[in-house]
Amino acid sequence: MAYMQEERVPPLLTRIHQACYYCFKPGTDDSALKRCSRCRRVCYDRCQKANWKTHKALCSAYCEMQSDIAALDQPSGEPTEDVSVLNDRANKRVQSKMRILGLSLGRELTVMERNLIGWEPRCLACARTEEDIRAAGSPAASLKPCANCRLFFFCSEEHRIFAQHAHSHVPDPDSARGLSQCEVNFNIRQDSIVREVMGGSDEPVRWAPERVKRKWESLDGRTWEGEHAAELQDVGLPPLAVGPFLCSATDGLAFPMTILWALEKLNEGDAWTKKAILTIHVLGATQEELMRAMQFEEILHRLPTVYKLNLVLIGPEMKTVKAKDGTPVVMDTCPRCFRRGRQRVQYHYASLYHDFVASQGSAYTTPNLAIAFNSGCGSEETESWLPTIKSLVEKKVPSVFTAFNRDEVKLDRAILESAGAVLLPGLTGLSPWASQVLHLEPNKVKGFYSNNRFIAGVFI
Ligand SMILES: [Zn+2]
Ligand SMILES: [Zn+2]
Ligand SMILES: [Zn+2]
Ligand SMILES: [Zn+2]
Ligand SMILES: [Zn+2]
């Protein structure tokens, strides 16, 4: 299955010297894997030869980058507990490396190349990487992983003592369940190993419950486990598998559940749950939503009197869809919905939302909800988001924006407000329907992100 290895982006453990960069098999202990003796950035079990043809060009450029970066000012080795200082140190270094590597390759970096720089192991106390420490004159530098999670690193025993307590024993502000960073890391690691064992897929489970609720039940105070654990046991999953399976499924279920959560918050009473047709506009839609189309059926399954769900996916990435803009695509539903004649219809428009609104002219009708998943509107493509947000405000569309992490929330809220949105109080922060599939932040020393992890803002 060599083709898969060439096509798949090497997963997390390959970026931190704990799995072979070619076959992705985790090393049982550190000695089982050998670093590439030239760049020292990737590891292999017995696959170095097989990967050499592909790795060669990057390896040379990487070595060149390392000597260029060694000539620059070296980052401070002072330990600090200030996360923003640490993340800032890491990010500055990452940006320089990416720039230098890009120049030497003479092209934009690929995802794999960005990943090698973004997820390079860094000391949790001082933010330096092995390359940084080597550049500062210690050729034998090696970072040691935390003995429990093995995902965070220390450059010396002194720095381990400095950072270990906070890492292992203080609840992380990004953990909904009050876990420490080390515990969250441990789960991330288990998840990545489970996926490799289950056939090496990067794709989370695409599962949605088959049951159809008899009537709408408020989501207030509900949790992923409370809502789904029993259903999964009914499906026949062994008890030990329920947790990891559900965790994986939340990555996609976060999309429909966030829609339902927002509809409940934005509507008074339950008249909205009894509408015959529900229309949702997804702004800045991407492959993420296309891939998870089936899981949106959970909306029908929680709103039994709705007979038609219109999902309108709008965004430049929709140009990959074969159907012509605006053509209704009737999606396959489950047998039960099919027998009752219930429909899930998808529309695609390969345009920016404000252009879509303009093109509709007087035919534009306000949807029940407009939602932008993980938009990053405050940090990326801000100029094109601004007129989109303005048109939502002008048309008084019930709207919600989600974000990957806390930093994005701040930036997103600033942009939403500057475009005239009056953000509803109380509806921001860690989402109860955040994906539980966490990822380590790239380009930083600490931090996690996940799909729809935060509600950035809700407005009408
Ligand atoms: Zn291998
Ligand atoms: Zn190399
Ligand atoms: Zn250190
Ligand atoms: Zn740890
Ligand atoms: Zn169904």
Side-chain angles (χ1 to χ4, degrees):
M1 298 236 285
Y3 70 96
M4 274 186 68
Q5 292 143 5
E6 296 288 332
E7 277 173 11
R8 255 186 85 195
V9 174
L12 176 66
L13 297 187
T14 68
R15 302 170 207 153
I16 57 171
H17 307 135
Q18 293 175 11
C20 173
Y21 197 66
Y22 183 71
C23 71
F24 310 156
K25 273 201 206 91
T28 38
D29 61 77
D30 293 342
S31 59
L33 296 165
K34 286 224 165 48
R35 301 268 187 109
C36 168
S37 60
R38 298 179 69 211
C39 66
R40 295 159 86 170
R41 184 61 194 92
V42 294
C43 275
Y44 299 100
D45 41 21
R46 270 159 294 157
C47 302
Q48 178 153 27
K49 246 185 164 164
N51 192 218
W52 180 241
K53 239 177 95 185
T54 319
H55 177 61
K56 197 173 158 187
L58 173 65
C59 189
S60 302
Y62 212 93
C63 292
E64 204 179 302
M65 181 272 287
Q66 286 167 334
S67 53
D68 285 354
I69 201 115
L72 298 179
D73 277 347
Q74 295 311 307
S76 162
E78 271 300 300
T80 171
E81 282 177 326
D82 188 329
V83 182
S84 58
V85 170
L86 285 172
N87 284 346
D88 191 51
R89 277 185 200 167
N91 187 47
K92 278 204 181 108
R93 205 66 174 162
V94 164
Q95 299 312 327
S96 317
K97 286 185 175 185
M98 290 206 187
R99 191 170 33 79
I100 296 172
L101 191 60
L103 283 174
S104 122
L105 290 166
R107 56 168 170 78
E108 294 237 340
L109 300 187
T110 64
V111 172
M112 286 183 215
E113 290 158 1
R114 300 177 73 87
N115 286 355
L116 280 182
I117 296 177
W119 276 281
E120 190 182 346
R122 300 180 180 91
C123 173
L124 190 53
C126 69
R128 290 180 304 168
T129 67
E130 283 183 4
E131 290 170 12
D132 294 338
I133 301 167
R134 279 204 297 271
S138 310
S142 81
L143 295 179
K144 296 261 177 321
C146 162
N148 178 48
C149 66
R150 301 186 67 222
L151 289 190
F152 280 3
F153 300 83
F154 309 105
C155 72
S156 63
E157 183 55 12
E158 200 187 326
H159 281 192
R160 187 189 68 72
I161 292 166
F162 183 90
Q164 184 89 59
H165 178 79
H167 169 64
S168 301
H169 300 292
V170 177
D172 189 89
D174 280 351
S175 164
R177 290 178 287 166
L179 303 181
S180 69
Q181 272 167 11
C182 191
E183 290 168 313
V184 176
N185 279 356
F186 189 81
N187 292 343
I188 291 177
R189 185 186 192 82
Q190 289 305 101
D191 183 56
S192 88
I193 291 172
V194 166
R195 279 193 214 177
E196 285 309 306
V197 172
M198 309 240 291
S201 168
D202 294 320
E203 298 304 332
V205 182
R206 279 172 226 157
W207 173 83
E210 274 169 37
R211 56 95 186 93
V212 178
K213 297 248 178 197
R214 292 234 188 111
K215 58 178 180 43
W216 165 253
E217 292 166 11
S218 167
L219 293 178
D220 265 353
R222 304 289 178 102
T223 61
W224 284 120
E225 285 78 16
E227 285 300 287
H228 299 292
E231 286 164 355
L232 278 171
Q233 257 158 23
D234 292 347
V235 173
L237 221 54
L240 267 178
V242 168
F245 186 94
L246 177 59
C247 170
S248 188
T250 63
D251 208 44
L253 282 175
F255 290 81
M257 292 302 281
T258 307
I259 289 176
L260 289 164
W261 172 87
L263 284 168
E264 185 176 19
K265 294 291 177 197
L266 281 160
N267 289 281
E268 275 175 35
D270 63 355
W272 71 274
T273 68
K274 296 178 176 141
K275 285 192 157 51
I277 301 175
L278 212 54
T279 301
I280 312 294
H281 287 180
V282 179
L283 283 49
T286 65
Q287 301 301 320
E288 299 283 317
E289 289 89 5
L290 290 177
M291 248 167 35
R292 298 181 165 96
M294 185 278 282
Q295 285 173 301
F296 282 84
E297 188 142 325
E298 178 68 349
I299 297 175
L300 288 178
H301 290 183
R302 285 180 178 271
L303 297 170
T305 53
V306 172
Y307 81 84
K308 189 174 179 192
L309 172 67
N310 291 323
L311 202 62
V312 188
L313 303 175
I314 305 148
E317 262 194 49
M318 292 302 103
K319 66 176 184 290
T320 58
V321 177
K322 281 201 198 95
K324 252 177 73 187
D325 274 16
T327 313
V329 181
V330 179
M331 309 297 284
D332 288 336
T333 52
C334 75
R336 207 179 300 184
C337 289
F338 181 79
R339 279 197 302 274
R340 285 187 49 203
R342 307 180 79 197
Q343 281 194 331
R344 202 151 52 77
V345 183
Q346 230 166 260
Y347 297 80
H348 312 89
Y349 291 89
S351 56
L352 298 170
Y353 191 71
H354 49 274
D355 293 334
F356 162 79
V357 173
S359 74
Q360 296 284 297
S362 58
Y364 177 87
T365 46
T366 307
N368 299 95
L369 183 76
I371 187 159
F373 294 114
N374 313 307
S375 76
C377 65
S379 42
E380 278 170 46
E381 315 278 345
T382 301
E383 292 92 75
S384 62
W385 277 108
L386 268 172
T388 284
I389 300 159
K390 282 182 184 155
S391 73
L392 293 169
V393 172
E394 186 199 330
K395 301 266 183 205
K396 296 193 171 43
V397 182
S399 305
V400 54
F401 280 63
T402 73
F404 282 127
N405 62 36
R406 220 177 275 279
D407 291 346
E408 278 185 7
V409 172
K410 240 185 270 165
L411 298 167
D412 290 1
R413 288 179 73 82
I415 289 301
L416 291 169
E417 285 179 331
S418 80
V422 180
L423 301 176
L424 298 177
L427 298 180
T428 184
L430 203 55
S431 166
W433 306 106
S435 162
Q436 301 298 300
V437 180
L438 299 194
H439 306 276
L440 297 181
E441 287 277 10
N443 315 349
K444 291 181 183 173
V445 176
K446 295 184 195 181
F448 307 105
Y449 73 93
S450 78
N451 269 328
N452 305 308
R453 187 151 188 73
F454 285 86
I455 303 295
V458 178
F459 58 95
I460 299 183

